[in-house]
Amino acid sequence: MSGARGSVRHYLRVGAPAERIWPLIGDPTRLTEWFPGITDCRVEGSQRTITTATGLTMVEALLTNDPLAHRFQYRITSDLVHEHLSTIDVLDLGDGTSVVQYSCDADPAPLALMIAGGALDGLRTLQQLVEEE
Amino acid sequence: MGRKILFVTTDQQRYDTLGCNGGQLARTPVVDALAHEGIRYERAIPQSVVCMPSRATMITGQHPSTHGVWMNGVPLPTDAPSVADTLLRAGYRTALIGKAHFEPYFDAFGRFLENTLGSVGTTPPGGTHRGFQHLEMATHGVMGNLHYARWMRENHPEMLGQFYATVDADLQVNSAGGGDTGAPQVKVNQVPRDWYHTEWVADRTIAWLDGLDTDEDWFCWMSFPDPHHPWDPPESEMGRVNWRDVDLPVGYPTSPAAREALLDAKPRHWRLWYDGTLVSNYEAPARWVPATLTPDQVREVNARNAVEVELIDEALGRVLRAIAARGWGDDVDVIFTTDHGELQGDFGLLFKGPYHVDALMRLPLIWRPAPSAVVPPAVIRRPVGLVDLAPTFCTIAGVPIPNTFEGTALPTDPNDSRDPVLTEWDSALFGVDVHLRTITHDDVVCTTYLPGTVHDGTEGELYDLADDPLQHENHFDDRSRRARRDDLIDQMRTLRPPETSPRRALIAPV
């Protein structure tokens, strides 16, 4: 392993333009609709607190929410994490489809695998939700 | 009423830890007796040398390239073929008690039933999970939400701190040492024997069997988490083996120069790991350097491992007595094996990784057919694979072998001919990837390497197991063996199933 920090990326092609996908991502309170295993999500200002199905509570700082670039970034600030940044990008391909990419950088590295692994299921749910609309 | 099946697995157990296989350290009279009455396989080989892919092979009857669990941290799809499901549909009652590990343990979002069922009960939602009607889970220690961990938390919370913490604060496999020698993954554990997970697995197995009607057929996978590290058996039992009296294993070269010369004759990642330059896989402690392993640490690890093996043997004896008391003795097939081996000092190494040698590849496998089937005892020397287990269970139950299964029922006749056995390794983690493809044909094992972080795809290993049982002489580049080597590589390419595409996502470290 190359160090304490891990970087993991997952992406899916979704059969919808970015404008149809973005509302689910850009609204930070809607996380529970598409990210499996997140049972509660509260937003106060630029802080979001999530609770997972295992009862774990994590506080996140919401860093970027850009509806033009279709980029959302957040950082977990709980003690469990030395450093973390997750980035969700929606890339409109111009043909009625988009690529939704979830990137996670974290120290400790195994956390990046776990968070991005959960997010991959989230991307699949997102794809299903949007394509069934 | 047909034959019932007790499938006993351990975790990370070497072939030579059983008395019937020549082991000198642990006393294993129960398994030895099963071997005497049944069939002992001298070269049982896993299709992967880490837990999740190997266990996925056991349940699906498929190679990793087919079931798609190419490394730890890749979950087996819940709709993958399952021999438990096949038996369930044939009328068998089914249970899995102990370590499952078809789904990742690191599961912060609680997405996998293996990790969540403990808070609900023992019957999965919908009635079955992978064909099992009853699941009670345990793993190494008391972390997480598995049934054993919950039971310990609820009944013996004062003992939780006695167990070794398998991962550290950085979520890496813990390298902290303990015991008398400071060996990694060793801890003195004051938990009473009756509360240790080996006993719990046997207790829960007996409880499940007690709930069955006498005339029911059943398939019970009793899966012990030991002797996989951490090596923290109940301290009350450590008097069985004094580590100071333990001989060093024959595979452990005592001189550092001899160790290094052996490692240098193998593909690069062997020596790189030994020196602490490259950690290619999550399963070995990331911060532990094998070159620091001392002879006394090897002795203490082996002593503790032997104690764990003895406790498993005694727990199995208890279950077999309970089975006999139910009047089932003549109608129960017992199959005992493990998912992969443990380096345990060989080449100066511990734990496991991309190293396809006997320490990890030669497994204990005993099949004691139901006495009512009147199968003569035998010793099978030809290689067999864990991929052959699922079709064997079907054969015992008298049900057709699903065409998704890739193995062949285990032989009972020493003269039966078999295809060579395949093993594969793939890992790709945080910038380091390693890929091995191995074929074992009678007494020869040949491994090729695919291009990866430290391999260019030309490397290989070729060992003659008859002349070189310790795999010290790598003949891969010997001119005199080239024809044999190339023939084995051709056979491997012919026999290997096509890979699942696209490759399943890695979603956790383990």
Side-chain angles (χ1 to χ4, degrees):
Chain A
M1 273 164 269
S2 55
R5 193 165 191 268
S7 189
V8 179
R9 179 180 64 224
H10 293 301
Y11 57 90
L12 274 186
R13 190 165 180 178
V14 178
E19 291 301 335
R20 273 183 51 207
I21 301 166
W22 181 252
L24 276 164
I25 294 168
D27 182 346
T29 65
R30 297 186 69 181
L31 188 64
T32 52
E33 293 180 41
W34 62 273
F35 201 121
I38 294 185
T39 55
D40 190 51
C41 165
R42 294 163 198 271
V43 177
E44 289 179 37
S46 60
Q47 181 174 295
R48 179 168 66 182
T49 304
I50 64 154
T51 304
T52 75
T54 59
L56 189 67
T57 296
M58 284 188 278
V59 179
E60 301 167 341
L62 306 179
L63 305 175
T64 306
N65 190 345
D66 186 334
L68 298 179
H70 297 132
R71 165 168 283 196
F72 187 93
Q73 291 182 299
Y74 66 99
R75 190 185 296 285
I76 297 171
T77 58
S78 303
D79 291 344
L80 177 68
V81 181
H82 305 316
E83 183 214 341
H84 164 259
L85 177 68
S86 277
T87 302
I88 311 169
D89 285 311
V90 186
L91 309 171
D92 196 310
L93 299 181
D95 60 356
T97 70
S98 305
V99 168
V100 185
Q101 176 172 284
Y102 187 101
S103 309
C104 180
D105 300 282
D107 174 5
L111 203 66
L113 267 179
M114 278 191 285
I115 294 171
L120 177 60
D121 270 358
L123 295 183
R124 291 177 180 137
T125 306
L126 193 78
Q127 181 185 44
Q128 198 174 3
L129 284 172
V130 171
E131 291 181 354
E132 283 176 359
E133 266 180 10
Chain B
M1 200 170 75
R3 288 158 69 179
K4 304 156 202 335
I5 302 168
L6 179 66
F7 178 37
V8 186
T9 53
T10 64
D11 194 352
Q12 199 156 318
Q13 181 172 2
R14 289 172 63 105
Y15 174 87
D16 55 13
T17 56
L18 294 179
C20 58
N21 290 338
Q24 300 289 315
L25 207 48
R27 290 158 298 179
T28 54
V30 174
V31 176
D32 296 349
L34 293 172
H36 180 72
E37 297 163 11
I39 303 156
R40 184 171 65 83
Y41 297 86
E42 290 202 332
R43 192 155 290 281
I45 295 171
Q47 279 51 77
S48 166
V49 298
V50 288
C51 300
M52 290 182 71
S54 186
R55 287 161 185 269
T57 288
M58 292 187 205
I59 194 171
T60 63
Q62 296 176 335
H63 292 84
S65 49
T66 303
H67 60 58
V69 181
W70 53 279
M71 68 178 283
N72 274 345
V74 178
L76 181 69
T78 52
D79 60 356
S82 162
V83 68
D85 190 53
T86 303
L87 296 172
L88 177 74
R89 283 187 275 110
Y92 273 66
R93 297 286 300 274
T94 55
L96 193 165
I97 296 164
K99 181 173 174 177
H101 210 187
F102 308 118
E103 298 156 17
Y105 284 135
F106 280 31
D107 183 17
F109 302 104
R111 294 177 297 144
F112 297 108
L113 184 118
E114 282 184 23
N115 302 315
T116 58
L117 186 62
S119 56
V120 177
T122 56
T123 304
T128 63
H129 182 62
R130 303 187 187 280
F132 293 106
Q133 299 168 301
H134 180 98
L135 296 109
E136 287 187 80
M137 255 77 79
T139 188
H140 324 289
V142 288
M143 291 171 70
N145 200 36
L146 305 187
H147 296 81
Y148 173 68
R150 291 178 64 88
W151 179 79
M152 281 297 292
R153 277 202 299 274
E154 288 165 10
N155 295 283
H156 310 292
E158 74 284 4
M159 284 292 156
L160 299 179
Q162 291 295 323
F163 289 82
Y164 185 89
T166 51
V167 295
D168 63 20
D170 287 336
L171 305 176
Q172 297 287 357
V173 174
N174 205 340
S175 58
D180 294 327
T181 64
Q185 293 266 327
V186 163
K187 186 177 186 298
V188 173
N189 184 350
Q190 300 295 351
V191 70
R193 174 180 174 176
D194 287 351
W195 303 345
Y196 191 61
H197 41 73
T198 296
E199 302 302 319
W200 183 89
V201 168
D203 289 345
R204 300 315 305 153
T205 300
I206 292 168
W208 182 74
L209 292 170
D210 281 347
L212 301 179
D213 291 337
T214 303
D215 59 355
E216 287 186 295
D217 291 333
W218 48 264
F219 170 69
C220 181
W221 185 340
M222 177 168 68
S223 180
F224 294 104
D226 270 353
H228 188 293
H229 57 88
W231 294 290
D232 61 350
E235 193 62 15
S236 60
E237 307 306 308
M238 282 309 300
R240 295 161 179 253
V241 184
N242 184 342
W243 69 262
R244 292 173 180 83
D245 298 334
V246 172
D247 291 334
L248 287 166
V250 291
Y252 177 77
T254 50
S255 129
R259 287 199 291 274
E260 289 163 13
L262 280 176
L263 296 169
D264 286 341
K266 298 183 184 301
R268 289 180 64 210
H269 67 295
W270 283 84
R271 178 66 192 269
L272 291 173
W273 182 41
Y274 177 80
D275 287 338
T277 309
L278 176 85
V279 181
S280 62
N281 54 300
Y282 182 81
E283 292 77 20
R287 296 185 178 89
W288 176 71
V289 177
T292 64
L293 183 68
T294 68
D296 278 352
Q297 288 177 338
V298 174
R299 289 187 176 95
E300 184 169 17
V301 164
N302 284 348
R304 289 175 169 276
N305 184 288
V307 169
E308 294 181 356
V309 168
E310 289 194 1
L311 293 181
I312 289 169
D313 195 76
E314 290 164 21
L316 171 58
R318 202 152 58 81
V319 172
L320 293 178
R321 287 193 294 277
I323 286 170
R326 291 294 308 270
W328 285 326
D330 280 349
D331 296 317
V332 175
D333 285 68
V334 183
I335 293 189
F336 178 98
T337 191
T338 191
D339 52 358
H340 54 78
E342 155 68 52
L343 283 159
Q344 223 166 307
D346 281 8
F347 307 101
L349 304 171
L350 277 182
F351 308 110
K352 59 186 177 284
Y355 313 99
H356 283 178
V357 288
D358 272 6
L360 302 183
M361 294 254 289
R362 190 182 191 187
L363 309 183
L365 174 60
I366 310 293
W367 174 16
R368 201 291 310 272
S372 60
V374 197
V375 178
V379 175
I380 306 291
R381 296 197 162 81
R382 289 217 161 106
V384 298
L386 297 187
V387 71
D388 300 326
L389 290 169
T392 304
F393 298 141
C394 292
T395 302
I396 292 168
V399 301
I401 297 170
N403 58 16
T404 56
F405 290 6
E406 294 173 340
T408 310
L410 288 167
T412 56
D413 182 341
N415 298 313
D416 279 358
S417 65
R418 307 281 294 179
D419 275 344
V421 180
L422 306 180
T423 306
E424 48 197 284
W425 171 286
D426 289 288
S427 57
L429 191 64
F430 303 130
V432 178
D433 69 327
V434 181
H435 311 277
L436 285 68
R437 302 287 179 265
T438 297
I439 184 167
T440 306
H441 188 188
D442 291 335
D443 282 333
V444 180
V445 58
C446 176
T447 296
T448 60
Y449 285 70
L450 279 59
T453 304
V454 294
H455 305 117
D456 64 13
T458 62
E459 300 87 344
E461 294 174 74
L462 181 72
Y463 300 111
D464 183 329
L465 301 170
D467 293 344
D468 178 25
L470 299 178
Q471 293 109 70
H472 282 184
E473 299 286 334
N474 180 8
H475 295 293
F476 192 80
D477 292 321
D478 286 2
R479 280 184 179 278
S480 62
R481 315 257 181 155
R482 192 160 291 173
R484 178 70 168 134
R485 179 195 77 178
D486 292 347
D487 176 56
L488 287 167
I489 293 171
D490 283 346
Q491 286 190 60
M492 181 158 53
R493 288 187 179 132
T494 303
L495 291 170
R496 188 165 182 268
E499 284 193 32
T500 300
S501 180
R503 198 162 73 174
R504 297 194 198 288
L506 172 68
I507 57 139
V510 70

